[in-house]
Amino acid sequence: MVLDLDRMLHPAEARAAILQRVKPLPAELTPLRDASWRILASDLIATEDHPPFPAATMDGYAVVAEDPSPWREIVGRQTAGSVEAIEVGLGTAAWITTGAPVPPGATAVIPVEATELADGHVVIQREQVIPGENIRPVGVDLARGTLALAAGSVLGPAEIGLAAGLGVDPIAVVRKPRVSVLSTGDELVEPGDPLRPGQIRDSNRFSLIAALEEVGAEVVWAGRGPDEASALRAALLQRIAESDVVLTSGGVSMGDLDLVKPLLAELAEVHFRRVFMKPGKPFNFATAGETLIFSLPGNPVSALVSFEVFLRPALLTMLGAKAIDRPRLSVTLEQPAKPSDRIEFQRAVVTAHSNGELSAATTGPQASSRLASLVGANALVIVPPGTDSLPAGATVEAIMIGPLWGVD
Ligand code: AMP
Ligand code: MG
């Protein structure tokens, strides 16, 4: 079958063509201290009960709940961190602190506020004591043999704490995708360099590094591609050899003079070149052996929107993440939206109102060169192709790329 490489793919078709070629990365062991926000490589089964002993949840007295005695002899003190040789029976009580093991015989803990001391004895000022009161039974928080964390979980504060509590250190996480970022274009100079006529500063490299790091990738190399064909060829070959993913920006438009496109055709298998979307129509996806090569358009917004729509799910799939998609919400337009001839991802700020309504305010002119249209945006509003403007108040779908803004 001859592929028409310049056929424009629907974004969903392009995404499927990418994900079909994405392989999950292997696991690696990492010290727990360095595992924050990494992705768990395999299911974590609890090898212990939590708590491992019946534990007091209050400071007070461990007693027999059913004991009718008006006062009880204090037979010992049980604090957290040790096990004293104490047994509690009828007519006795043990002083106990929060988190301490409940001594054998005791079936409830009476909070110290509900007690009084008299003649070295404790008097319980309670009508009724319920068996089990203020005691966390063995395994109640997490039972041995049960699933504590599923593979693909992101190790946020709660997850990593759970792993620590189970004594898992080091921990098996998915290796980070190794990514090289290469900006191309004769017009580009470094941010710290002065501009000569006709030059602009390379901003994509820095945007893409931030986007990559947010998603949990490791940027192994980032720089500008050499201007000269054979040097660029050598650079690309080296980047391909040492990376899971090579990300280039610039030089993939129709009629472009840049060198990336012909080099890709020579060094890799190109799968598609154009997507039916705005911004981000030129987008080359190729593979060279195991390495995925994505060539993003040079316009800064196009590069970042393409990253959002295609790279993010691809990288999260490599990482074995449970969730690879951003949430999509129905939102109400605050201003009219003008459609284009392609599916458009318009940048917006979505606000949640106290009545439950979600409204989307545009970030202003939507030129693909205007990075300010992405600054502060928390959503990409999907505007279907067409000729008539969508009126203010119309309901559209939005991809949430950042946190929802607070109720006003
Ligand atoms: P291209 O995709 O090479 O046709 O570039 C499209 C537009 O994006 C041009 O105006 C370029 O100057 C600009 N551009 C290309 N690469 C970058 C970059 N790394 N940073 C900022 N702008 C860029
Ligand atoms: Mg260019």
Side-chain angles (χ1 to χ4, degrees):
M1 190 183 78
V2 179
L3 268 180
D4 176 6
L5 283 179
D6 288 322
R7 182 172 72 86
M8 241 196 275
L9 271 61
H10 186 280
E13 194 186 355
R15 173 189 151 112
I18 295 168
L19 293 186
Q20 176 199 327
R21 293 177 173 90
V22 172
K23 290 205 189 80
L25 292 168
E28 65 184 15
L29 280 179
T30 184
L32 198 60
R33 170 66 186 86
D34 301 326
S36 305
W37 304 113
R38 300 289 301 270
I39 292 174
L40 188 67
S42 43
D43 286 351
L44 202 65
I45 308 292
T47 50
E48 298 165 351
D49 280 312
H50 276 239
F53 48 82
T57 63
M58 294 280 218
D59 294 336
Y61 290 90
V63 299
V64 177
E66 302 81 358
D67 188 350
S69 316
W71 49 263
R72 297 151 212 236
E73 184 191 344
I74 301 167
V75 291
R77 295 162 66 87
Q78 177 64 64
T79 54
S82 62
V83 176
E84 305 301 330
I86 305 171
E87 220 170 297
V88 174
L90 295 178
T92 66
W95 186 78
I96 193 164
T97 60
T98 301
V102 175
T107 57
V109 171
I110 311 299
V112 70
E113 307 87 90
T115 65
E116 213 171 65
L117 286 178
D119 286 340
H121 287 69
V122 61
V123 180
I124 305 217
Q125 297 163 320
R126 272 286 194 82
E127 299 273 294
Q128 206 192 358
V129 179
I130 303 159
E133 202 179 327
N134 300 319
I135 296 176
R136 279 190 304 140
V138 171
V140 71
D141 292 341
L142 189 59
R144 185 177 160 180
T146 59
L147 180 68
L149 289 175
S153 299
V154 178
L155 297 176
E159 292 77 12
I160 209 153
L162 201 67
L166 285 171
V168 181
D169 188 7
I171 190 165
V173 294
V174 181
R175 175 166 75 66
K176 291 183 174 190
R178 298 186 181 123
V179 186
S180 291
V181 183
L182 188 121
S183 302
T184 68
D186 296 341
E187 70 276 37
L188 301 179
V189 299
E190 293 301 296
D193 289 347
L195 289 182
R196 287 205 300 270
Q199 294 184 324
I200 60 161
R201 296 191 181 90
D202 177 7
S203 67
N204 288 348
R205 197 164 95 225
F206 300 88
S207 294
L208 292 171
I209 289 171
L212 285 161
E213 288 179 347
E214 185 191 15
V215 84
E218 182 186 353
V219 178
V220 290
W221 185 91
R224 278 190 294 126
D227 298 333
E228 192 266 314
S230 66
L232 182 63
R233 186 178 189 278
L236 258 180
L237 275 174
Q238 196 189 335
R239 303 290 76 96
I240 289 169
E242 67 191 23
S243 315
D244 300 306
V245 173
V246 173
L247 214 53
T248 73
S249 81
V252 288
S253 317
M254 302 298 276
D256 204 289
L257 299 173
D258 290 74
L259 306 164
V260 176
K261 226 159 108 176
L263 268 180
L264 279 182
E266 182 205 331
L267 301 175
E269 186 189 349
V270 179
H271 303 291
F272 62 84
R273 284 181 178 155
R274 301 207 298 162
V275 187
F276 185 66
M277 64 188 259
K278 184 184 177 182
K281 180 167 76 171
F283 178 94
N284 281 214
F285 172 56
T287 46
E290 298 277 280
T291 305
L292 307 177
I293 307 167
F294 299 90
S295 298
L296 312 180
N299 266 314
V301 179
S302 313
L304 282 176
V305 169
S306 301
F307 183 97
E308 179 59 42
V309 175
F310 301 120
L311 266 296
R312 195 174 179 279
L315 291 162
L316 287 172
T317 301
M318 297 176 100
L319 280 162
K322 274 194 292 188
I324 65 165
D325 288 313
R326 302 275 204 187
R328 286 180 180 228
L329 299 174
S330 278
V331 301
T332 307
L333 291 178
E334 290 183 25
Q335 298 90 9
K338 202 166 119 34
S340 77
D341 59 340
R342 283 163 273 147
I343 296 167
E344 190 170 357
F345 297 94
Q346 296 193 2
R347 286 74 70 197
V349 179
V350 170
T351 307
H353 301 265
S354 47
N355 63 3
E357 199 200 321
L358 299 170
S359 69
T362 181
T363 54
Q366 297 287 305
S368 60
S369 53
R370 188 175 166 260
L371 261 184
S373 72
L374 257 179
V375 172
N378 64 351
L380 297 176
V381 163
I382 304 173
V383 179
T387 45
D388 299 332
S389 273
L390 298 173
T395 301
V396 290
E397 208 183 349
I399 303 172
M400 296 307 300
I401 59 170
L404 203 51
W405 293 73
V407 176
D408 58 357

